Amino acid sequence: MAESYMSEPITSFGELKEHSADPDSKKHIPSQMEMYIMSLQKSLCDELAEIEGKKFKVDRWLRADEPDGSKGGGGITCILQDGDVFEKAGVNISVVHGTLSKQAIQQMKSRGKELLGDSVPFTAMGISSVIHPINPNIPTVHFNYRYFEIPGDNKMWWFGGGTDLTPTYLNKQDAKHFHNALKEACDQHDPEYYPKFKKWCDEYFFIKHRGESRGIGGIFFDDLDYIPAEKAFSFVQSCGNAISPAYIPLVKQHLNDPYTDNEVQWRLLRRGRYVEFNLVYDRGTKFGLYTPNARIESILMSLPLNARWEYMNEPGQRENELLEVLKNPVDWADS
């Protein structure tokens, strides 16, 4: 079982095996989700490592135990840095348990969650990845899929996540390929999902102080609790399984594209925008920073190694082609 994953899981093999053998295992979503995200982490890391010709650094970490002695969980961070293809590629999973901070409770209440009291236990698990290539013709990709549960008599649960593309330069064929792959995954479950979650993605990844989107979008959803948990989990699996066919072909297609120093400088400026969104607006980053005993290195894994802020940059024609769609989102997928 261990060779199927990048590391020993956070939950013991014995507990995961026990739940998977249970006749009611379909109802034990946390165990199913943990095994799925570990499998997805392994398959994607293997693909990226093969392209780079370099293995990922694997860091299995544990959170401090809770005051009552209960385990706090942990995570597995897999990182490639300073490669020939990828400046930085991270594929992380986390499986954490604890008590919500006051800031996290406030954030969830603002989204309509009815949380009682100041001490709210939780279980959360998910996979998060950001891949920053070196070649400006290969876009950056981000994805995150997570499951959140508040146990107790009034048990609450929900799924959330998404996948989005952030190019340095606009390539319309890349954009169509990426969005069509996500649409195909969504359409397997509900034809209304893709247009709904694509619009949500465009709105979520908007950098308000810049008046532009972080990238050319994809899908984004949260608080998915209005369908049976088994169906929601199946949808999340379809989304996760779509990442490789949506993105890896773009990497391979542009692997040897030539580029100039000016294009590298523009890439660094776009990475600066990436940093601005993640530190100012991103919900997942904020939740992580609010969580007691948080793993800061893993939370900030999404940030690029290098970024640039240049006073009053004057973009050229190719750069303006990208800026136009960042300010006016396009429907890329085939209807």
Side-chain angles (χ1 to χ4, degrees):
M1 192 174 183
E3 63 272 12
S4 300
Y5 303 141
M6 296 298 288
S7 173
E8 178 184 347
I10 301 304
T11 304
S12 70
F13 279 123
E15 185 175 341
L16 290 174
K17 186 176 180 180
E18 179 183 350
H19 286 144
S20 63
D22 190 317
D24 292 328
S25 62
K26 289 185 177 180
K27 298 180 181 179
H28 203 277
I29 297 296
S31 292
Q32 292 186 78
M33 183 66 171
E34 182 172 356
M35 288 189 289
Y36 173 67
I37 60 178
M38 289 194 67
S39 177
L40 180 59
Q41 180 188 48
K42 169 67 172 173
S43 63
L44 186 58
C45 285
D46 284 351
E47 285 193 275
L48 296 172
E50 183 179 0
I51 293 171
E52 183 60 69
K54 177 180 176 182
K55 291 184 177 180
F56 275 78
K57 176 181 179 180
V58 180
D59 180 16
R60 183 182 185 274
W61 52 271
L62 297 175
R63 292 178 71 235
D65 291 348
E66 292 296 299
D68 64 1
S70 61
K71 297 298 181 182
I76 302 167
T77 298
C78 297
I79 291 285
L80 269 178
Q81 292 186 147
D82 286 320
D84 294 325
V85 179
F86 304 112
E87 176 192 82
K88 188 178 184 183
V91 189
N92 298 351
I93 70 161
S94 60
V95 180
V96 298
H97 322 278
T99 302
L100 291 175
S101 66
K102 291 183 179 179
Q103 295 97 324
I105 291 174
Q106 183 178 3
Q107 185 190 60
M108 290 182 182
K109 284 184 175 180
S110 70
R111 289 169 26 222
K113 301 297 182 185
E114 297 181 1
L115 306 179
L116 302 177
D118 296 327
S119 181
V120 180
F122 77 94
T123 292
M125 59 199 60
I127 181 168
S128 179
S129 176
V130 177
I131 301 167
H132 293 296
I134 291 175
N135 192 316
N137 296 295
I138 305 175
T140 288
V141 74
H142 155 264
F143 73 86
N144 172 285
Y145 291 102
R146 56 194 178 274
Y147 174 76
F148 202 97
E149 183 175 294
I150 296 177
D153 295 336
N154 297 314
K155 176 181 173 181
M156 301 171 64
W157 63 267
W158 61 89
F159 286 93
T163 306
D164 63 284
L165 199 68
T166 304
T168 297
Y169 288 97
L170 180 64
N171 183 304
K172 294 180 180 180
Q173 292 305 312
D174 287 356
K176 290 178 179 179
H177 170 87
F178 184 80
H179 277 266
N180 279 329
L182 298 183
K183 182 178 183 297
E184 182 179 347
C186 290
D187 286 352
Q188 295 175 33
H189 299 268
D190 190 325
E192 294 184 0
Y193 278 176
Y194 173 77
K196 177 181 179 180
F197 297 153
K198 193 269 185 188
K199 183 175 184 293
W200 199 342
C201 186
D202 289 337
E203 294 171 349
Y204 178 78
F205 289 105
F206 188 73
I207 308 172
K208 296 177 183 177
H209 61 272
R210 294 288 188 180
E212 63 187 44
S213 297
R214 187 178 76 176
I216 61 169
I219 57 172
F220 176 85
F221 61 92
D222 208 350
D223 301 322
L224 183 61
D225 59 1
Y226 44 85
I227 59 176
E230 292 81 5
K231 289 188 176 182
F233 178 49
S234 178
F235 170 62
V236 166
Q237 288 177 290
S238 294
C239 293
N241 295 342
I243 294 162
S244 175
Y247 182 65
I248 296 299
L250 306 186
V251 176
K252 293 181 177 180
Q253 180 179 345
H254 300 295
L255 202 56
N256 297 311
D257 286 4
Y259 57 89
T260 67
D261 182 65
N262 285 339
E263 290 168 342
V264 170
Q265 297 306 308
W266 177 246
R267 185 202 71 196
L268 292 171
L269 285 171
R270 297 315 309 170
R271 296 275 166 87
R273 298 293 199 271
Y274 207 96
V275 172
E276 290 177 27
F277 177 85
N278 282 28
L279 295 183
V280 177
Y281 300 111
D282 187 64
R283 187 182 295 172
T285 301
K286 288 183 177 181
F287 175 81
L289 295 176
Y290 290 157
T291 302
N293 303 317
R295 174 77 168 189
I296 302 301
E297 288 291 330
S298 296
I299 294 169
L300 298 182
M301 173 276 299
S302 63
L303 302 183
L305 286 184
N306 300 289
R308 177 181 173 91
W309 284 265
E310 178 182 321
Y311 185 74
M312 299 297 287
N313 172 263
E314 296 184 8
Q317 181 178 347
R318 282 193 72 202
E319 292 76 15
N320 275 316
E321 288 177 359
L322 175 71
L323 292 175
E324 175 62 26
V325 300
L326 297 183
K327 295 176 181 179
N328 301 286
V330 173
D331 292 328
W332 296 107
D334 297 333
S335 57

